Amino acid sequence: MERSFKREVEALRLGAGDTFHGEGILAVTKALLQAGVSYVGGYQGAPVSHLLDVMVEAEDLLGDLGVHVETCTNEASAAAMLGASINYPLRGAVTWKSIVGTNVAADALSNLASPGVVGGALIILGEDYGEGASVIQERSYAYAMKSSMWLIDPRPELPTIVSMVEKGFELSEASHAPVMLELRIRACHVTGEFAAKDNRRAAFSSLNRIAGPPRFEYARLAHPPVTFVQERLKVEDRLPAARRFIREHGLNQVLGGLYDDVGIIVMGGLTNSVLRALMRLDLADVYGASLVPMLVLNVVYPLVPEEIRAFCADKRAVLVVEEGSPDYIEQQINVELRRADIRTRVFGKGPLPATGEYTSEVLIGGIATFLTEMRPPGLDVTAVAGMALAAVDHKPAAAQAVGELPARPPTFCTGCPERPVFSAIKLMQRELGPTHISADIGCHAFATFAPFSMGNSILGYGMSLASAAAVGPNLDRRPIAVMGDGGFWHNGLITGVTSNLFNKGDGVLIVMQNGYTSATGLQYMPSSKSGRQGAAPGMDVEQTLRSLGVKWLRKVRTYSVGTMVKTLKEAMRTAERGLKVIIADGECQLARQRRVRAEDAEKLKRGARVVRTRFGVDDEICTGDHSCIRLSGCPSLTVKPNPDPLRTDPVATVIESCVGCGLCGEVAHAAVLCPSFYRAELVRNPHIGDRFMHWLRRRVIGWLGGRAEAVS
Ligand code: SF4
Ligand code: SF4
């Protein structure tokens, strides 16, 4: 991990009497320490990566508190870690990105939730819908319901977030069930303050170890026949205990309001968005005082029937603001009200859309529709409808004024080592024809966008090779699976490689070895060149593959496009059966730039020589056909007007952001394009040799120029 979290780590040291200022996700981290956690772990993924990153960097502080930190290789291992809380009074927290991570962790979560826990077990999930999400649009709610785990969705303000973390542990212990706490991007990055408390050393931790294992107790295993008893415990003991705790400790909040014959029941995490929408309708102030009563569900599962009934009893109608589908909360509220014979009408999906993110605009429209339909006495609904319209009616005019904007698909960073591999695949396919490409999760998934548009399926993180298992035998050409080294260690090693070898599969696997789990923020992984404690963890992709029995294995520097094309062709054509692996080796450019920039700054301070490589295009040679752009897709390679008045086609040009990776030159060479690319070295603090070469070059160029003039 190249980024420093020094400032964040300092904030974790605050104690009673101090005020914490900062972001939501850091507040969660601080709350874990205040709650006396004994162990933390997880697998990174936006928007919760920060939690684990900060914990890793705060190892000294955590060591003082006896907190064990584990950077897990996937979410399943993180979930299984919570097994410590089944037998021991140890509070533990793990984190990952949901829903994908929860899918990976599902087996361990089921087997954790069945016996239940004695120590508080908290699972912190990053969860978003619509454009806030980068993954499949599913809800963790389903997992909470199916496994009888409780789901907290805190109102995005720091005191509530901190209190929910602390209460989450208590809820887990009071009901003997794991608790999930979901955080949207907005909750993770909301800023604010709260009164800090002292960090707490856990009663048992690495500083005060538990003497010996517990007495053998079969009931602590998720194994028949006790699972039948555990099912009963979940429903008859743990659920009522959880509801009692939620009610007695006031985890959900009721915000009063003037128009009290209607109300809004909102998932805690959406509270700020709803208040903002109400404000735009003149129904709330900037401090969150609402004129429409609200029931804020900081715990979205389980619902507490008494609270639902009490809130709805005197209302003609309520609007349920529940993001995502299915509408689990809305359905439960309907059932509760019918059971209690309360005639309150329930709105939700209808005024609000069934899918996508609930942005301010969506909520303004939904709330206005609800209020216009219900017409609360004293409220001018015509004015509300007018305000809802005014909030959006400027948009068409604004769009027209701006005009059509060029599409900006997400893409690799400038100089990314993974881009050249897709240039090479493109060149290989020109000759051998198109083949099936199994894509994967990671930065390389950017190749699914223009100008590469490669990838026929994405089945999950590290799953590309496994997802090609039935493609190969049914296609006349070998499929190519692309996987990152992060995906390889996360899952691909077992589900892909081992399974392929076990089944004597064929096909081609490209492992992008960039050295980090880059897409989630440059975390270290088993084959990184350095690790948490400084030294490299010492595991190696190539050695691992060879030890498993992979015979056909090539390691190619990613920027060597010509060699990569040749290797790909060989892999596609060879008569040799079996898995063919190409390790595409090239350090993540983002990580490299961060490192090199710091090293260069230090060298410049010392007056040492620093060289920066840049590439450029010779305007006079460029033909303007732009094949180089289509083949490389580098954002630093663009077009500019042709300086030659006799030629109209814009010419290619390299802009300032070029990091000098050399790909455009390599592509031009490998694809036999025009020779318009040149390489330049910008030397700062040149030494005597540089100065001499500069003098010499100028003389030679001057002489050639003079000679040319003399000849003409
Ligand atoms: S983070 Fe690294 S691997 Fe990912 S796109 Fe950027 S340079 Fe490439
Ligand atoms: S050398 Fe070419 S491909 Fe590499 S960063 Fe510069 S413009 Fe982009």
Side-chain angles (χ1 to χ4, degrees):
M1 189 175 32
E2 305 284 341
R3 189 187 151 186
S4 167
F5 293 99
K6 220 165 153 192
R7 195 176 54 82
E8 284 87 343
V9 171
E10 282 315 305
L12 297 184
R13 296 182 191 276
L14 297 176
D18 295 327
T19 302
F20 173 103
H21 300 270
E23 279 185 285
I25 193 65
L26 193 62
V28 171
T29 318
K30 173 75 174 105
L32 293 176
L33 302 184
Q34 293 182 175
V37 74
S38 297
Y39 64 95
V40 292
Y43 192 81
Q44 60 278 347
V48 288
S49 305
H50 209 56
L51 194 161
L52 202 61
D53 290 346
V54 174
M55 285 290 189
V56 166
E57 205 148 314
E59 241 177 342
D60 288 352
L61 167 65
L62 268 57
D64 292 346
L65 295 168
V67 180
H68 172 74
V69 186
E70 187 108 352
T71 46
C72 304
T73 50
N74 63 26
E75 297 85 353
S77 60
M81 221 183 139
L82 291 173
S85 297
I86 295 176
N87 286 290
Y88 307 103
L90 298 171
R91 287 187 169 181
V94 295
T95 186
W96 58 71
K97 179 192 187 83
S98 204
I99 186 78
V100 282
T102 311
N103 288 339
V104 176
D107 197 9
L109 287 179
S110 294
N111 289 290
L112 171 76
S114 198
V117 294
V118 289
L122 197 64
I123 303 146
I124 298 157
L125 305 172
E127 178 138 330
D128 275 291
Y129 305 99
E131 288 174 21
S134 64
V135 294
I136 34 185
Q137 307 290 301
E138 292 182 4
R139 304 184 57 188
S140 301
Y141 207 99
Y143 281 94
M145 291 203 301
K146 92 169 176 61
S147 296
S148 295
M149 299 179 286
W150 320 136
L151 182 60
I152 296 179
D153 183 8
R155 180 178 174 180
E157 52 157 19
L158 266 49
T160 305
I161 291 174
V162 170
S163 152
M164 287 302 139
V165 171
E166 294 170 340
K167 289 289 175 195
F169 282 114
E170 292 177 32
L171 170 63
S172 175
E173 284 156 5
S175 60
H176 301 296
V179 171
M180 303 200 289
L181 181 135
E182 67 173 358
L183 296 168
R184 292 168 181 75
I185 263 183
R186 291 190 176 115
C188 287
H189 300 308
V190 70
T191 52
E193 60 178 44
F194 67 91
K197 293 185 209 154
D198 289 336
N199 294 330
R200 253 176 64 191
R201 273 191 189 175
F204 297 104
S205 68
S206 56
L207 296 178
N208 181 27
R209 298 178 186 236
I210 298 166
R215 190 172 54 82
F216 175 74
E217 212 179 326
Y218 195 80
R220 295 259 177 244
L221 302 172
H223 207 233
V226 286
T227 42
F228 309 120
V229 179
Q230 288 164 357
E231 184 199 13
R232 192 184 50 71
L233 286 174
K234 279 179 175 181
V235 178
E236 294 178 8
D237 289 5
R238 297 180 201 161
L239 181 62
R243 286 179 164 150
R244 204 164 40 245
F245 184 93
I246 295 164
R247 209 173 59 247
E248 287 173 4
H249 291 258
L251 300 194
N252 296 323
Q253 298 162 293
V254 175
L255 310 181
L258 181 66
Y259 303 108
D260 60 2
D261 78 330
V262 293
I264 295 176
I265 301 179
V266 58
M267 297 175 84
L270 294 173
T271 310
N272 295 2
S273 308
V274 167
L275 286 168
R276 170 79 183 145
L278 288 169
M279 205 184 108
R280 298 286 301 274
L281 299 173
D282 246 350
L283 292 168
D285 67 19
V286 73
Y287 303 104
S290 168
L291 295 180
V292 181
M294 286 169 66
L295 172 58
V296 177
L297 297 175
N298 289 312
V299 184
V300 284
Y301 185 77
L303 299 184
V304 180
E306 294 85 341
E307 290 182 351
I308 301 294
R309 291 199 294 264
F311 183 75
C312 295
D314 60 349
K315 305 200 180 332
R316 281 188 298 131
V318 291
L319 175 70
V320 180
V321 181
E322 177 186 13
E323 206 170 37
S325 276
D327 51 352
Y328 298 115
I329 299 175
E330 190 180 332
Q331 290 181 33
Q332 289 175 71
I333 290 172
N334 266 306
V335 170
E336 269 320 316
L337 296 182
R338 296 297 80 82
R339 273 187 191 143
D341 201 19
I342 294 172
R343 312 236 157 213
T344 308
R345 286 181 68 189
V346 179
F347 291 77
K349 307 294 178 197
L352 291 163
T355 60
E357 190 180 5
Y358 282 5
T359 58
S360 240
E361 192 178 316
V362 167
L363 289 167
I364 289 170
I367 293 170
T369 307
F370 167 66
L371 293 174
T372 311
E373 167 103 15
M374 291 317 297
R375 300 185 167 272
L379 178 64
D380 181 353
V381 290
T382 313
V384 168
M387 280 182 271
L389 201 63
V392 292
D393 73 347
H394 62 284
K395 287 200 141 191
Q400 205 178 1
V402 172
E404 203 177 321
L405 293 172
R408 247 185 74 195
T411 187
F412 298 98
C413 301
T414 293
C416 173
E418 302 187 352
R419 179 183 283 112
V421 180
F422 295 98
S423 302
I425 295 176
K426 228 176 181 182
L427 291 171
M428 179 275 290
Q429 290 192 337
R430 270 189 189 173
E431 212 172 305
L432 303 191
T435 192
H436 179 99
I437 295 180
S438 300
D440 211 296
I441 305 288
C443 291
H444 39 86
F446 287 133
T448 55
F449 297 106
F452 300 111
S453 304
M454 284 181 192
N456 300 91
S457 63
I458 297 184
L459 265 286
Y461 192 26
M463 302 291 231
S464 58
L465 184 58
S467 69
V471 176
N474 290 295
L475 229 69
D476 64 353
R477 205 164 290 158
R478 281 182 180 135
I480 296 178
V482 181
M483 188 189 292
D485 42 5
F488 176 82
W489 294 115
H490 176 272
N491 207 341
L493 170 62
I494 303 298
T495 53
V497 177
T498 312
S499 189
N500 183 291
L501 296 173
F502 183 52
N503 288 286
K504 304 208 178 314
D506 201 22
V508 180
L509 169 67
I510 299 174
V511 181
M512 301 282 192
Q513 183 166 269
N514 68 26
Y516 305 84
T517 315
S518 298
T520 53
L522 303 177
Q523 288 83 13
Y524 295 125
M525 66 170 119
S527 52
S528 293
K529 294 277 182 285
S530 52
R532 262 168 67 184
Q533 282 86 15
M539 282 160 269
D540 183 76
V541 174
E542 183 177 350
Q543 277 177 17
T544 306
L545 288 167
R546 289 206 190 279
S547 71
L548 285 173
V550 174
K551 301 270 182 310
W552 197 106
L553 195 150
R554 311 280 187 270
K555 191 164 166 180
V556 183
R557 184 179 164 270
T558 59
Y559 296 108
S560 307
V561 177
T563 314
M564 186 63 81
V565 174
K566 211 165 126 243
T567 312
L568 277 166
K569 285 201 266 189
E570 189 194 338
M572 293 298 288
R573 284 173 171 156
T574 179
E576 192 176 325
R577 300 280 308 162
L579 182 62
K580 282 150 278 289
V581 183
I582 302 171
I583 299 178
D585 193 34
E587 185 185 5
C588 165
Q589 187 67 239
L590 194 63
R592 188 180 165 274
Q593 287 299 315
R594 283 182 183 164
R595 199 189 61 240
V596 169
R597 220 176 291 141
E599 286 168 7
D600 284 354
E602 195 272 326
K603 278 190 201 160
L604 286 174
K605 222 174 2 178
R606 283 192 281 116
R609 180 176 183 263
V610 170
V611 181
R612 189 180 159 206
T613 308
R614 289 285 313 274
F615 276 73
V617 177
D618 189 329
D619 296 342
E620 288 184 13
I621 303 175
C622 175
T623 60
D625 78 337
H626 311 143
S627 320
C628 53
I629 294 176
R630 285 191 294 276
L631 276 167
S632 103
C634 174
S636 297
L637 191 55
T638 180
V639 290
K640 69 173 184 186
N642 200 319
D644 183 344
L646 299 178
R647 292 160 66 205
T648 50
D649 282 340
V651 288
T653 186
V654 175
I655 57 174
E656 180 55 30
S657 53
C658 165
V659 294
C661 75
L663 169 64
C664 41
E666 283 276 344
V667 161
H669 182 69
V672 203
L673 301 177
C674 63
S676 51
F677 285 91
Y678 63 83
R679 178 172 178 270
E681 285 187 347
L682 309 178
V683 184
R684 294 166 79 183
N685 296 331
H687 55 44
I688 189 155
D690 295 318
R691 290 182 193 282
F692 172 72
M693 287 305 293
H694 180 62
W695 173 84
L696 188 65
R697 283 184 189 123
R698 285 186 57 181
R699 293 297 293 253
V700 172
I701 292 169
W703 179 76
L704 286 173
R707 192 165 170 254
E709 267 167 31
V711 170
S712 65

